[in-house]
Amino acid sequence: MDPAEEFKDFAYIVSHDLAGPVRSLVEFSRLLVEQAPVPQTDEAKTNLSMVLESGEKLQEILQGLLQFSRLNTVPRLTQKVDLEEVVARVHMNRQEDLDMIKATLNHTRLPEVTGDPNRLYQLVYMLVDNAIKFRSHERPLTIDIACEDTERDYWLSIADNGLGVDPMFYDDVFRPLRKLHTDDIYDGPGMGLTLARKIVIMHGGQIGIGSSETGTVISFSLPKKSVAA
């Protein structure tokens, strides 16, 4: 079997076939917390809470791996996609969250490209979500989406005025399950930028991370000519 196919099978088995037992672990742990007699000691309470918390974290990790494996197994659509509409959908679906933290999302004129509309939506959604999650609490969040038109590609950038990323971790942020912060500060499995990178590469583009004066800039390219699925 081709190594790439073996990886697809492995990723699917890990993320899909393990999901059932982990779901049972979480649900039965939750039932114990809610219905069982109150533990007699603080240590017993802590241990039970840790079992539930660990199961929920494992669920998040498996969900991230399942999303990654689906990018390899679900055929990619190829059609005209208006990025203006993609960003508008993301903005609409995150409007409540943006309003809650008094954030603004701005964008310049965006082009029409050829690609998978669902995955391009997922790409923009994850990058905006990343900006919201890693915002600074010292100033209102601003997210700016811009596009540079080059001869062969459209280069899009999503810049924020958030916490920023140390340059020494620029490579790490795109690796699966790599987190720069502990779970008690920022939850989640650490798969967002991994999935974003995969989607960009599947569309024949490149992605990178850099710093702005006050935050982070994620830049990625989308070819003007479509790439075969």
Side-chain angles (χ1 to χ4, degrees):
M1 180 184 289
D2 176 40
E5 293 298 321
E6 287 184 342
F7 173 76
K8 290 180 185 179
D9 289 345
F10 171 77
Y12 186 81
I13 289 169
V14 168
S15 58
H16 185 270
D17 293 354
L18 291 180
V22 172
R23 185 166 55 250
S24 296
L25 169 66
V26 170
E27 291 306 316
F28 281 113
S29 297
R30 187 172 290 116
L31 285 174
L32 281 174
V33 171
E34 295 174 353
Q35 298 180 5
V38 177
Q40 297 301 309
T41 65
D42 289 339
E43 182 180 4
K45 294 179 184 178
T46 300
N47 291 340
L48 186 55
S49 296
M50 289 180 65
V51 169
L52 178 57
E53 182 179 333
S54 297
E56 290 173 339
K57 288 180 182 177
L58 185 53
Q59 261 188 329
E60 289 183 344
I61 292 172
L62 291 176
Q63 182 60 33
L65 290 174
L66 181 57
Q67 286 181 288
F68 187 81
S69 69
R70 282 173 176 160
L71 291 177
N72 292 288
T73 55
V74 178
R76 179 168 65 88
L77 300 175
T78 303
Q79 62 189 61
K80 293 293 184 181
V81 181
D82 187 343
L83 293 180
E84 291 268 350
E85 294 181 3
V86 171
V87 171
R89 284 178 56 209
V90 172
H91 197 167
M92 179 181 67
N93 289 331
R94 297 311 301 264
Q95 187 66 64
E96 184 175 347
D97 298 316
L98 293 169
D99 289 343
M100 188 177 301
I101 60 175
K102 296 181 172 58
T104 56
L105 173 59
N106 311 305
H107 68 86
T108 60
R109 176 64 187 170
L110 301 175
E112 184 179 80
V113 297
T114 300
D116 186 314
N118 297 322
R119 289 176 182 173
L120 290 175
Y121 170 83
Q122 185 181 8
L123 168 64
V124 176
Y125 186 97
M126 286 186 296
L127 295 180
V128 169
D129 182 71
N130 229 46
I132 293 173
K133 179 178 292 185
F134 298 108
R135 67 187 183 276
S136 170
H137 293 282
E138 297 178 356
R139 52 186 174 268
L141 174 64
T142 300
I143 305 170
D144 294 303
I145 303 177
C147 179
E148 180 183 354
D149 187 345
T150 68
E151 182 178 352
R152 298 179 57 183
D153 307 284
Y154 293 111
W155 274 95
L156 288 98
S157 62
I158 298 183
D160 65 59
N161 62 342
L163 296 176
V165 177
D166 190 311
M168 70 181 294
F169 297 117
Y170 280 176
D171 290 334
D172 285 347
V173 295
F174 292 106
R175 295 175 181 171
L177 307 177
R178 295 294 181 93
K179 301 184 65 174
L180 304 185
H181 305 275
T182 57
D183 288 326
D184 57 336
I185 299 177
Y186 297 103
D187 59 4
M191 287 291 289
L193 290 180
T194 302
L195 294 169
R197 178 178 180 272
K198 181 68 174 178
I199 292 171
V200 170
I201 290 174
M202 293 180 76
H203 282 78
Q206 304 173 60
I207 189 170
I209 185 172
S211 297
S212 64
E213 292 183 3
T214 57
T216 302
V217 182
I218 304 289
S219 299
F220 62 92
S221 64
L222 295 173
K224 291 184 176 180
K225 292 184 177 181
S226 64
V227 176

Short mmCIF file of all heavy atoms in Angstrom, two decimals, residues 26-75:
data_model
loop_
_atom_site.label_atom_id
_atom_site.label_comp_id
_atom_site.label_asym_id
_atom_site.label_seq_id
_atom_site.Cartn_x
_atom_site.Cartn_y
_atom_site.Cartn_z
N VAL A 26 -16.23 9.57 28.69
CA VAL A 26 -16.65 10.90 29.12
C VAL A 26 -18.06 10.86 29.69
O VAL A 26 -18.33 11.43 30.76
CB VAL A 26 -16.56 11.89 27.95
CG1 VAL A 26 -17.22 13.23 28.32
CG2 VAL A 26 -15.12 12.12 27.55
N GLU A 27 -18.98 10.18 29.00
CA GLU A 27 -20.37 10.18 29.45
C GLU A 27 -20.53 9.46 30.78
O GLU A 27 -21.26 9.92 31.67
CB GLU A 27 -21.26 9.53 28.38
CG GLU A 27 -21.40 10.36 27.11
CD GLU A 27 -21.87 11.77 27.39
OE1 GLU A 27 -22.79 11.94 28.21
OE2 GLU A 27 -21.30 12.72 26.81
N PHE A 28 -19.87 8.32 30.95
CA PHE A 28 -20.00 7.60 32.23
C PHE A 28 -19.30 8.35 33.36
O PHE A 28 -19.75 8.31 34.51
CB PHE A 28 -19.44 6.18 32.10
CG PHE A 28 -20.40 5.23 31.41
CD1 PHE A 28 -20.10 4.71 30.17
CD2 PHE A 28 -21.61 4.89 32.00
CE1 PHE A 28 -20.98 3.85 29.52
CE2 PHE A 28 -22.50 4.03 31.37
CZ PHE A 28 -22.19 3.52 30.12
N SER A 29 -18.21 9.04 33.04
CA SER A 29 -17.55 9.86 34.06
C SER A 29 -18.47 10.99 34.49
O SER A 29 -18.57 11.33 35.68
CB SER A 29 -16.24 10.43 33.51
OG SER A 29 -15.33 9.41 33.19
N ARG A 30 -19.16 11.60 33.51
CA ARG A 30 -20.09 12.69 33.82
C ARG A 30 -21.24 12.17 34.69
O ARG A 30 -21.69 12.86 35.63
CB ARG A 30 -20.61 13.31 32.53
CG ARG A 30 -21.45 14.56 32.77
CD ARG A 30 -21.79 15.27 31.47
NE ARG A 30 -20.63 15.92 30.87
CZ ARG A 30 -20.10 15.59 29.71
NH1 ARG A 30 -20.64 14.63 28.99
NH2 ARG A 30 -19.04 16.23 29.24
N LEU A 31 -21.73 10.97 34.38
CA LEU A 31 -22.80 10.38 35.19
C LEU A 31 -22.33 10.16 36.62
O LEU A 31 -23.09 10.37 37.58
CB LEU A 31 -23.26 9.06 34.58
CG LEU A 31 -24.14 9.17 33.32
CD1 LEU A 31 -24.40 7.78 32.75
CD2 LEU A 31 -25.47 9.85 33.65
N LEU A 32 -21.09 9.71 36.78
CA LEU A 32 -20.56 9.50 38.12
C LEU A 32 -20.51 10.82 38.89
O LEU A 32 -20.85 10.87 40.07
CB LEU A 32 -19.16 8.89 38.05
CG LEU A 32 -19.08 7.38 37.78
CD1 LEU A 32 -17.64 6.96 37.60
CD2 LEU A 32 -19.71 6.60 38.94
N VAL A 33 -20.08 11.88 38.21
CA VAL A 33 -20.01 13.19 38.85
C VAL A 33 -21.39 13.68 39.26
O VAL A 33 -21.58 14.22 40.35
CB VAL A 33 -19.34 14.21 37.90
CG1 VAL A 33 -19.46 15.63 38.46
CG2 VAL A 33 -17.88 13.86 37.68
N GLU A 34 -22.39 13.44 38.40
CA GLU A 34 -23.72 13.99 38.63
C GLU A 34 -24.60 13.11 39.54
O GLU A 34 -25.43 13.63 40.28
CB GLU A 34 -24.43 14.18 37.29
CG GLU A 34 -23.77 15.24 36.40
CD GLU A 34 -24.39 15.31 35.03
OE1 GLU A 34 -25.25 14.45 34.73
OE2 GLU A 34 -24.03 16.23 34.25
N GLN A 35 -24.43 11.79 39.46
CA GLN A 35 -25.40 10.89 40.11
C GLN A 35 -24.83 10.09 41.27
O GLN A 35 -25.58 9.67 42.15
CB GLN A 35 -25.97 9.92 39.07
CG GLN A 35 -26.73 10.61 37.94
CD GLN A 35 -27.27 9.62 36.93
OE1 GLN A 35 -27.18 8.39 37.10
NE2 GLN A 35 -27.85 10.13 35.85
N ALA A 36 -23.54 9.84 41.26
CA ALA A 36 -22.98 8.99 42.32
C ALA A 36 -23.00 9.72 43.65
O ALA A 36 -23.05 10.95 43.70
CB ALA A 36 -21.55 8.60 41.96
N PRO A 37 -22.94 8.97 44.75
CA PRO A 37 -22.83 9.62 46.07
C PRO A 37 -21.61 10.52 46.12
O PRO A 37 -20.61 10.28 45.47
CB PRO A 37 -22.67 8.43 47.03
CG PRO A 37 -23.28 7.27 46.31
CD PRO A 37 -23.00 7.51 44.85
N VAL A 38 -21.74 11.59 46.87
CA VAL A 38 -20.64 12.55 46.98
C VAL A 38 -19.41 11.85 47.55
O VAL A 38 -19.48 11.19 48.58
CB VAL A 38 -21.04 13.72 47.90
CG1 VAL A 38 -19.86 14.69 48.06
CG2 VAL A 38 -22.26 14.44 47.35
N PRO A 39 -18.24 11.96 46.85
CA PRO A 39 -17.01 11.34 47.37
C PRO A 39 -16.71 11.83 48.78
O PRO A 39 -16.97 12.97 49.14
CB PRO A 39 -15.94 11.80 46.37
CG PRO A 39 -16.70 12.09 45.11
CD PRO A 39 -18.02 12.63 45.56
N GLN A 40 -16.13 10.94 49.57
CA GLN A 40 -15.92 11.24 50.98
C GLN A 40 -14.74 12.17 51.24
O GLN A 40 -14.67 12.81 52.29
CB GLN A 40 -15.72 9.93 51.75
CG GLN A 40 -16.93 9.01 51.72
CD GLN A 40 -18.16 9.68 52.30
OE1 GLN A 40 -18.11 10.21 53.42
NE2 GLN A 40 -19.26 9.67 51.56
N THR A 41 -13.80 12.25 50.30
CA THR A 41 -12.62 13.07 50.52
C THR A 41 -12.42 14.04 49.36
O THR A 41 -12.89 13.81 48.24
CB THR A 41 -11.36 12.19 50.64
OG1 THR A 41 -11.12 11.53 49.40
CG2 THR A 41 -11.54 11.14 51.74
N ASP A 42 -11.69 15.11 49.63
CA ASP A 42 -11.37 16.07 48.58
C ASP A 42 -10.53 15.40 47.49
O ASP A 42 -10.64 15.73 46.30
CB ASP A 42 -10.61 17.26 49.16
CG ASP A 42 -11.51 18.15 50.01
OD1 ASP A 42 -12.74 18.08 49.83
OD2 ASP A 42 -10.98 18.91 50.85
N GLU A 43 -9.66 14.47 47.90
CA GLU A 43 -8.81 13.78 46.93
C GLU A 43 -9.65 12.96 45.96
O GLU A 43 -9.40 12.95 44.75
CB GLU A 43 -7.82 12.86 47.65
CG GLU A 43 -6.86 12.15 46.70
CD GLU A 43 -5.89 11.25 47.42
OE1 GLU A 43 -6.00 11.12 48.66
OE2 GLU A 43 -5.01 10.67 46.75
N ALA A 44 -10.69 12.30 46.47
CA ALA A 44 -11.57 11.51 45.60
C ALA A 44 -12.32 12.41 44.63
O ALA A 44 -12.48 12.07 43.45
CB ALA A 44 -12.55 10.71 46.45
N LYS A 45 -12.78 13.57 45.10
CA LYS A 45 -13.46 14.52 44.22
C LYS A 45 -12.51 14.99 43.12
O LYS A 45 -12.90 15.06 41.94
CB LYS A 45 -13.94 15.73 45.03
CG LYS A 45 -15.02 15.44 46.05
CD LYS A 45 -15.38 16.72 46.79
CE LYS A 45 -16.39 16.45 47.89
NZ LYS A 45 -16.72 17.69 48.67
N THR A 46 -11.28 15.30 43.50
CA THR A 46 -10.30 15.78 42.53
C THR A 46 -10.00 14.71 41.49
O THR A 46 -9.93 14.99 40.28
CB THR A 46 -9.00 16.19 43.23
OG1 THR A 46 -9.29 17.24 44.15
CG2 THR A 46 -7.96 16.66 42.23
N ASN A 47 -9.82 13.47 41.94
CA ASN A 47 -9.51 12.37 41.02
C ASN A 47 -10.63 12.16 40.01
O ASN A 47 -10.37 11.95 38.82
CB ASN A 47 -9.25 11.08 41.79
CG ASN A 47 -7.96 11.13 42.59
OD1 ASN A 47 -7.08 11.94 42.32
ND2 ASN A 47 -7.84 10.25 43.58
N LEU A 48 -11.87 12.20 40.46
CA LEU A 48 -13.00 12.01 39.57
C LEU A 48 -13.10 13.15 38.56
O LEU A 48 -13.36 12.94 37.37
CB LEU A 48 -14.30 11.91 40.38
CG LEU A 48 -15.58 11.57 39.60
CD1 LEU A 48 -15.40 10.27 38.81
CD2 LEU A 48 -16.76 11.45 40.57
N SER A 49 -12.86 14.37 39.02
CA SER A 49 -12.89 15.52 38.11
C SER A 49 -11.79 15.42 37.06
O SER A 49 -11.98 15.76 35.89
CB SER A 49 -12.72 16.83 38.89
OG SER A 49 -13.81 17.03 39.77
N MET A 50 -10.61 14.91 37.46
CA MET A 50 -9.50 14.76 36.53
C MET A 50 -9.79 13.72 35.47
O MET A 50 -9.38 13.86 34.31
CB MET A 50 -8.22 14.42 37.30
CG MET A 50 -7.66 15.58 38.11
SD MET A 50 -6.15 15.15 39.01
CE MET A 50 -5.03 14.83 37.65
N VAL A 51 -10.50 12.64 35.85
CA VAL A 51 -10.87 11.62 34.86
C VAL A 51 -11.77 12.24 33.79
O VAL A 51 -11.56 12.04 32.58
CB VAL A 51 -11.58 10.44 35.54
CG1 VAL A 51 -12.20 9.50 34.48
CG2 VAL A 51 -10.60 9.66 36.41
N LEU A 52 -12.77 13.01 34.23
CA LEU A 52 -13.69 13.64 33.28
C LEU A 52 -12.96 14.67 32.42
O LEU A 52 -13.14 14.70 31.19
CB LEU A 52 -14.83 14.32 34.05
CG LEU A 52 -15.86 15.08 33.21
CD1 LEU A 52 -16.50 14.17 32.17
CD2 LEU A 52 -16.94 15.69 34.11
N GLU A 53 -12.12 15.48 33.02
CA GLU A 53 -11.40 16.51 32.28
C GLU A 53 -10.46 15.89 31.24
O GLU A 53 -10.37 16.35 30.10
CB GLU A 53 -10.60 17.38 33.24
CG GLU A 53 -9.85 18.52 32.59
CD GLU A 53 -9.08 19.35 33.60
OE1 GLU A 53 -9.50 19.42 34.77
OE2 GLU A 53 -8.05 19.95 33.20
N SER A 54 -9.77 14.81 31.64
CA SER A 54 -8.85 14.15 30.71
C SER A 54 -9.60 13.52 29.54
O SER A 54 -9.15 13.56 28.39
CB SER A 54 -8.03 13.08 31.44
OG SER A 54 -7.22 13.65 32.44
N GLY A 55 -10.76 12.94 29.83
CA GLY A 55 -11.57 12.36 28.76
C GLY A 55 -12.05 13.41 27.78
O GLY A 55 -12.05 13.19 26.56
N GLU A 56 -12.45 14.58 28.28
CA GLU A 56 -12.91 15.66 27.41
C GLU A 56 -11.77 16.20 26.55
O GLU A 56 -11.95 16.53 25.36
CB GLU A 56 -13.52 16.78 28.25
CG GLU A 56 -14.86 16.38 28.88
CD GLU A 56 -15.38 17.42 29.86
OE1 GLU A 56 -14.58 18.23 30.36
OE2 GLU A 56 -16.59 17.41 30.14
N LYS A 57 -10.55 16.28 27.11
CA LYS A 57 -9.40 16.72 26.33
C LYS A 57 -9.08 15.72 25.22
O LYS A 57 -8.77 16.10 24.08
CB LYS A 57 -8.18 16.89 27.23
CG LYS A 57 -8.25 18.09 28.15
CD LYS A 57 -7.02 18.19 29.03
CE LYS A 57 -7.12 19.36 29.99
NZ LYS A 57 -5.93 19.42 30.90
N LEU A 58 -9.18 14.42 25.56
CA LEU A 58 -8.93 13.39 24.55
C LEU A 58 -9.97 13.46 23.44
O LEU A 58 -9.65 13.27 22.26
CB LEU A 58 -8.94 12.01 25.21
CG LEU A 58 -8.59 10.81 24.32
CD1 LEU A 58 -7.25 11.03 23.62
CD2 LEU A 58 -8.55 9.53 25.16
N GLN A 59 -11.21 13.76 23.78
CA GLN A 59 -12.25 13.95 22.78
C GLN A 59 -11.89 15.08 21.82
O GLN A 59 -12.06 14.95 20.60
CB GLN A 59 -13.59 14.27 23.45
CG GLN A 59 -14.52 13.08 23.59
CD GLN A 59 -15.89 13.50 24.08
OE1 GLN A 59 -16.04 14.47 24.82
NE2 GLN A 59 -16.91 12.76 23.69
N GLU A 60 -11.40 16.19 22.34
CA GLU A 60 -11.01 17.33 21.50
C GLU A 60 -9.87 16.94 20.55
O GLU A 60 -9.87 17.31 19.37
CB GLU A 60 -10.57 18.51 22.37
CG GLU A 60 -11.70 19.19 23.12
CD GLU A 60 -11.21 20.39 23.90
OE1 GLU A 60 -9.97 20.51 24.09
OE2 GLU A 60 -12.04 21.22 24.31
N ILE A 61 -8.90 16.18 21.07
CA ILE A 61 -7.77 15.76 20.24
C ILE A 61 -8.25 14.85 19.10
O ILE A 61 -7.86 15.03 17.94
CB ILE A 61 -6.71 15.03 21.09
CG1 ILE A 61 -6.05 16.02 22.05
CG2 ILE A 61 -5.67 14.34 20.21
CD1 ILE A 61 -5.14 15.37 23.07
N LEU A 62 -9.11 13.90 19.43
CA LEU A 62 -9.62 12.98 18.41
C LEU A 62 -10.45 13.72 17.37
O LEU A 62 -10.41 13.39 16.18
CB LEU A 62 -10.44 11.87 19.06
CG LEU A 62 -9.65 10.86 19.90
CD1 LEU A 62 -10.59 9.87 20.57
CD2 LEU A 62 -8.64 10.12 19.03
N GLN A 63 -11.21 14.72 17.81
CA GLN A 63 -12.00 15.50 16.87
C GLN A 63 -11.10 16.26 15.90
O GLN A 63 -11.37 16.34 14.69
CB GLN A 63 -12.90 16.49 17.62
CG GLN A 63 -13.81 17.32 16.73
CD GLN A 63 -14.76 16.49 15.90
OE1 GLN A 63 -15.23 15.44 16.33
NE2 GLN A 63 -15.06 16.94 14.69
N GLY A 64 -10.00 16.79 16.41
CA GLY A 64 -9.04 17.48 15.55
C GLY A 64 -8.40 16.52 14.55
O GLY A 64 -8.24 16.85 13.37
N LEU A 65 -8.04 15.32 15.00
CA LEU A 65 -7.46 14.32 14.10
C LEU A 65 -8.48 13.86 13.07
O LEU A 65 -8.12 13.59 11.91
CB LEU A 65 -6.95 13.13 14.91
CG LEU A 65 -5.71 13.40 15.78
CD1 LEU A 65 -5.39 12.19 16.65
CD2 LEU A 65 -4.50 13.74 14.91
N LEU A 66 -9.74 13.77 13.48
CA LEU A 66 -10.78 13.37 12.53
C LEU A 66 -10.94 14.43 11.44
O LEU A 66 -11.07 14.10 10.25
CB LEU A 66 -12.11 13.15 13.27
CG LEU A 66 -13.30 12.71 12.40
CD1 LEU A 66 -12.98 11.42 11.67
CD2 LEU A 66 -14.55 12.54 13.26
N GLN A 67 -10.92 15.70 11.82
CA GLN A 67 -11.00 16.78 10.83
C GLN A 67 -9.82 16.70 9.86
O GLN A 67 -9.98 16.88 8.65
CB GLN A 67 -11.00 18.15 11.52
CG GLN A 67 -12.29 18.51 12.21
CD GLN A 67 -12.21 19.88 12.85
OE1 GLN A 67 -11.54 20.09 13.86
NE2 GLN A 67 -12.86 20.84 12.24
N PHE A 68 -8.63 16.40 10.39
CA PHE A 68 -7.44 16.29 9.55
C PHE A 68 -7.56 15.11 8.58
O PHE A 68 -7.24 15.25 7.39
CB PHE A 68 -6.21 16.12 10.43
CG PHE A 68 -4.91 16.17 9.67
CD1 PHE A 68 -4.36 17.39 9.31
CD2 PHE A 68 -4.24 15.01 9.32
CE1 PHE A 68 -3.16 17.45 8.61
CE2 PHE A 68 -3.05 15.07 8.61
CZ PHE A 68 -2.51 16.28 8.26
N SER A 69 -8.04 13.97 9.08
CA SER A 69 -8.16 12.80 8.21
C SER A 69 -9.21 13.01 7.14
O SER A 69 -9.07 12.52 6.01
CB SER A 69 -8.48 11.55 9.04
OG SER A 69 -9.79 11.62 9.59
N ARG A 70 -10.26 13.77 7.45
CA ARG A 70 -11.30 14.03 6.45
C ARG A 70 -10.76 14.86 5.29
O ARG A 70 -11.23 14.74 4.16
CB ARG A 70 -12.49 14.73 7.10
CG ARG A 70 -13.39 13.79 7.90
CD ARG A 70 -14.45 14.56 8.66
NE ARG A 70 -15.37 13.65 9.35
CZ ARG A 70 -16.13 14.00 10.37
NH1 ARG A 70 -16.09 15.25 10.83
NH2 ARG A 70 -16.94 13.13 10.94
N LEU A 71 -9.78 15.71 5.58
CA LEU A 71 -9.18 16.49 4.50
C LEU A 71 -8.48 15.58 3.49
O LEU A 71 -8.33 15.91 2.32
CB LEU A 71 -8.17 17.49 5.06
CG LEU A 71 -8.75 18.66 5.87
CD1 LEU A 71 -7.64 19.53 6.42
CD2 LEU A 71 -9.71 19.49 5.04
N ASN A 72 -8.03 14.40 3.96
CA ASN A 72 -7.36 13.45 3.08
C ASN A 72 -8.32 12.49 2.40
O ASN A 72 -8.00 11.93 1.35
CB ASN A 72 -6.34 12.63 3.89
CG ASN A 72 -5.16 13.45 4.36
OD1 ASN A 72 -4.32 13.84 3.57
ND2 ASN A 72 -5.10 13.71 5.65
N THR A 73 -9.48 12.25 3.02
CA THR A 73 -10.37 11.20 2.52
C THR A 73 -11.59 11.72 1.78
O THR A 73 -12.13 11.02 0.92
CB THR A 73 -10.84 10.31 3.69
OG1 THR A 73 -11.46 11.11 4.69
CG2 THR A 73 -9.66 9.57 4.32
N VAL A 74 -12.05 12.94 2.11
CA VAL A 74 -13.23 13.49 1.44
C VAL A 74 -12.78 14.24 0.18
O VAL A 74 -11.91 15.10 0.26
CB VAL A 74 -14.00 14.45 2.37
CG1 VAL A 74 -15.19 15.06 1.64
CG2 VAL A 74 -14.46 13.71 3.62
N PRO A 75 -13.32 13.90 -1.00
CA PRO A 75 -12.91 14.56 -2.24
C PRO A 75 -13.07 16.07 -2.16
O PRO A 75 -14.02 16.59 -1.56
CB PRO A 75 -13.84 13.95 -3.30
CG PRO A 75 -14.28 12.65 -2.72
CD PRO A 75 -14.35 12.87 -1.23
#
